[in-house]
Amino acid sequence: MQQEQEQEQEQEQSRPLSLLDDIDALYCEEEEDDDASSACNNGGNPFFPLDQDLFWDDEELLSMFSKEITQHKVVPATDNINGADEFLAMARCVAVEWVLKVNARYGFTTLTAVLAINYLDRFLTSFRFQSDNKPWMIHLVAVTCLSLAAKVEETQVPLLLDLQVEDTKYVFEAKTIQRMEILILTTLKWKMHPITPLSFIDHIIRRLGLKTHLHWEFLKRCEHLLLCVISDSDSMHYLPSVLATAIMMHVIDHVEPFTPIDYQNQLLDVLKIKKERVSECYNFVVDVSNKQSQKRKIGRAPSLNRVFQNIVVASSHS
């Protein structure tokens, strides 16, 4: 009997850890030792990061910087959209507004809207649209870009005919949209996962760990402001990292008006971006935010007094 128990113990020790074992290992064992207890509870501070947050791999950040530079070099000039072509600028504005309405109607993610607008801008800058072009042409591009973005990001995508809602003046057959999809995919060289401002916002959010409602509130505000900012064609002037940094700085400034500079500096340190690079874009973001405040004000949130404490720790270890 004793020999059988010893064999069972040896088998138990040699058995590979299961998923449940891995999960159990994440929890601190209940001990009387004060140091162990404080390590498990982190002093009751919900903002204190886990170890994996402290040593988040900066290689991802450096990779995104490299990709956005390469991406920026191959994007055609945006002068025809940024004011030089009044027709195209107005058509883009209408198209983006439609994309955002449909995105909200179907409950698509913020990334879906960001990707759709990214595809739209890249496609529009690849062609020379004339002022006598029919408005339906731009709308067809908008419908197609949203369809492609939804297929990339969403798990459930409505039929192409059902996608055409919210003040749609033109309704296109599915085969027409499918042909346009091929044209857009070819024009964009099938690069459907670009670096966007949301890439950098997501990086910071994951470093925060989304452990409290304050982190979720911060993400929500950043996403809302991002959609407002990219609705303006002037946003195309800025690199995604610069745009994302300016947006997060403004959100910090808005929700923490008494001590925003410290948190903004911490953010700049983590993202390894100098403030001078962001100043012009930050003023642009503030201007857009002030214009949008008349339509939809960003409500006051609880103080984010400790939200960025873990970023400080992370930057000190980087």
Side-chain angles (χ1 to χ4, degrees):
M1 182 68 179
Q2 183 177 0
Q3 185 178 2
E4 292 179 355
Q5 291 178 346
E6 290 177 354
Q7 290 178 350
E8 290 178 358
Q9 289 178 355
E10 290 177 357
Q11 292 176 356
E12 182 68 17
Q13 291 175 356
S14 62
R15 180 177 60 86
L17 289 176
S18 66
L19 177 61
L20 290 179
D21 293 325
D22 293 336
I23 294 177
D24 290 339
L26 297 177
Y27 291 92
C28 298
E29 295 181 358
E30 294 183 0
E31 299 178 1
E32 295 298 328
D33 183 69
D34 292 337
D35 292 336
S37 177
S38 61
C40 181
N41 296 323
N42 290 326
N45 185 356
F47 299 103
F48 195 88
L50 299 175
D51 290 342
Q52 57 264 35
D53 298 318
L54 291 176
F55 300 99
W56 189 268
D57 194 358
D58 282 337
E59 290 185 2
E60 179 192 18
L61 189 60
L62 297 177
S63 175
M64 289 193 296
F65 283 137
S66 176
K67 289 179 180 179
E68 75 168 354
I69 294 298
T70 303
Q71 179 178 295
H72 185 70
K73 290 180 180 179
V74 299
V75 173
T78 59
D79 292 341
N80 58 327
I81 291 182
N82 293 322
D85 191 325
E86 183 177 353
F87 160 77
L88 192 55
M90 181 61 65
R92 179 197 182 273
C93 180
V94 174
V96 168
E97 182 179 1
W98 179 86
V99 166
L100 294 180
K101 285 183 178 180
V102 177
N103 197 81
R105 178 185 179 93
Y106 281 105
F108 292 160
T109 65
T110 300
L111 180 56
T112 299
V114 172
L115 288 176
I117 296 173
N118 177 278
Y119 301 161
L120 176 69
D121 289 337
R122 288 162 59 197
F123 183 79
L124 293 181
T125 54
S126 299
F127 289 88
R128 178 64 63 179
F129 285 84
Q130 304 298 327
S131 58
D132 58 349
N133 286 132
K134 304 299 182 182
W136 63 263
M137 295 179 63
I138 305 297
H139 186 73
L140 175 59
V141 175
V143 173
T144 307
C145 287
L146 181 57
S147 171
L148 289 171
K151 291 175 180 177
V152 168
E153 176 63 17
E154 303 295 332
T155 56
Q156 294 184 345
V157 181
L159 298 175
L160 292 176
L161 289 178
D162 295 335
L163 194 65
Q164 302 178 69
V165 294
E166 292 292 339
D167 304 327
T168 301
K169 297 180 180 179
Y170 313 99
V171 178
F172 305 101
E173 296 181 356
K175 61 181 181 181
T176 302
I177 299 175
Q178 290 167 350
R179 286 197 297 265
M180 180 58 73
E181 285 181 343
I182 297 300
L183 176 59
I184 292 179
L185 287 169
T186 304
T187 302
L188 303 186
K189 299 180 180 180
W190 293 79
K191 295 180 179 180
M192 312 309 288
H193 296 277
I195 296 297
T196 70
L198 204 56
S199 305
F200 294 92
I201 294 175
D202 179 67
H203 178 84
I204 289 297
I205 290 299
R206 283 185 283 125
R207 289 183 80 149
L208 288 174
L210 285 176
K211 300 178 187 65
T212 73
H213 74 283
L214 293 182
H215 299 154
W216 285 105
E217 182 68 20
F218 179 76
L219 172 61
K220 178 181 177 181
R221 289 168 181 267
C222 288
E223 289 183 341
H224 169 70
L225 183 55
L226 173 61
L227 294 180
C228 293
V229 169
I230 62 176
S231 297
D232 192 313
S233 59
D234 286 339
S235 62
M236 300 170 65
H237 284 303
Y238 305 102
L239 288 172
S241 60
V242 174
L243 200 58
T245 304
I247 288 172
M248 288 187 283
M249 287 178 63
H250 182 59
V251 171
I252 294 172
D253 191 46
H254 190 84
V255 300
E256 195 59 53
F258 299 107
T259 55
I261 297 180
D262 290 342
Y263 303 119
Q264 291 172 349
N265 289 336
Q266 293 162 22
L267 176 66
L268 292 171
D269 289 341
V270 173
L271 288 175
K272 299 175 175 59
I273 296 179
K274 294 183 178 181
K275 192 172 184 178
E276 293 73 19
R277 287 186 58 198
V278 188
S279 297
E280 180 183 346
C281 184
Y282 177 78
N283 293 333
F284 163 69
V285 170
V286 171
D287 183 58
V288 172
S289 179
N290 290 337
K291 292 178 181 178
Q292 290 292 330
S293 64
Q294 298 301 324
K295 300 178 181 178
R296 185 188 236 176
K297 293 183 178 181
I298 301 179
R300 287 289 299 169
S303 173
L304 293 181
N305 245 350
R306 289 172 297 174
V307 168
F308 282 90
Q309 282 186 359
N310 45 352
I311 286 189
V312 180
V313 179
S315 61
S316 65
H317 287 275
S318 60

